Amino acid sequence: MGQETHYDCLIIGAGISGLDAAYHVKEYCSWASYAILERRANLGGTWDFFKYPGIRSDSDMYTFGFSWKIWKSAKPIAPAEDILAYLKEAAEEQGITKNIHFNTDISAAAWDSSDNLWHLTTALGKQYSCSVLFGCSGYYSYENPYEPTFPGQEDFPG
């Protein structure tokens, strides 16, 4: 195994859940070193990735947003651009952005009971280890998206 970069805690994904996990590690375990490993070039997950017209939250942002950063917009059912701006602002205000490793695609994560650590490898071969691993990568497969089929689909104009 090559040289590993070790953190007390690693968080996979810089979407809303990953940012929230980072805040809680920083706030309640300030002694712990942490990093967020984000596959893409930007934070925000869903709110950065999807760009179709009219994308917005399906839950009000007063309850969907962070407990530590109150949603102040007059639009509780918010468009994606507003949510993404909120996430970026929250991460910057809390000093989380500096701990995000962008363009870091995790290809393997394995627990090793002999040293009680998680060992992670990126698609480019970089290696990390940690004692605590948060999986905050969401549920959408960018490589193999689900595409439903339905009768008459070939005739549907859009």
Side-chain angles (χ1 to χ4, degrees):
M1 208 179 273
Q3 181 67 28
E4 287 183 325
T5 302
H6 180 79
Y7 291 91
D8 295 311
C9 177
L10 286 171
I11 301 163
I12 301 174
I16 194 166
S17 295
L19 297 176
D20 198 39
Y23 170 82
H24 283 87
V25 168
K26 185 179 86 57
E27 187 69 17
Y28 299 104
C29 302
S30 58
W31 52 266
S33 62
Y34 80 92
I36 300 175
L37 307 178
E38 170 55 46
R39 173 172 44 178
R40 302 182 63 250
N42 300 306
L43 65 78
T46 293
W47 306 110
D48 177 66
F49 181 72
F50 292 107
K51 303 294 184 192
Y52 57 85
I55 184 173
R56 63 190 186 128
S57 64
D58 58 0
S59 301
D60 74 89
M61 289 302 297
Y62 301 117
T63 54
F64 182 62
F66 301 125
S67 61
W68 45 271
K69 170 118 174 107
I70 303 304
W71 179 259
K72 294 181 181 174
S73 171
K75 298 180 271 185
I77 304 297
E81 355 10 286
D82 291 4
I83 297 170
L84 184 58
Y86 165 80
L87 296 176
K88 287 180 177 180
E89 184 177 276
E92 282 295 324
E93 286 177 2
Q94 294 299 321
I96 294 170
T97 307
K98 69 177 186 256
N99 291 14
I100 302 173
H101 299 214
F102 293 104
N103 300 306
T104 304
D105 186 9
I106 301 302
S107 58
W111 174 257
D112 185 341
S113 294
S114 69
D115 61 6
N116 292 323
L117 293 174
W118 284 96
H119 298 274
L120 294 80
T121 305
T122 70
L124 298 176
K126 183 165 173 56
Q127 297 178 331
Y128 294 90
S129 65
C130 63
S131 301
V132 177
L133 179 63
F134 284 86
C136 299
S137 59
Y139 59 88
Y140 186 78
S141 171
Y142 300 109
E143 291 80 22
N144 300 303
Y146 174 72
E147 186 174 333
T149 58
F150 55 91
Q153 181 174 355
E154 61 280 351
D155 300 321
F156 184 68

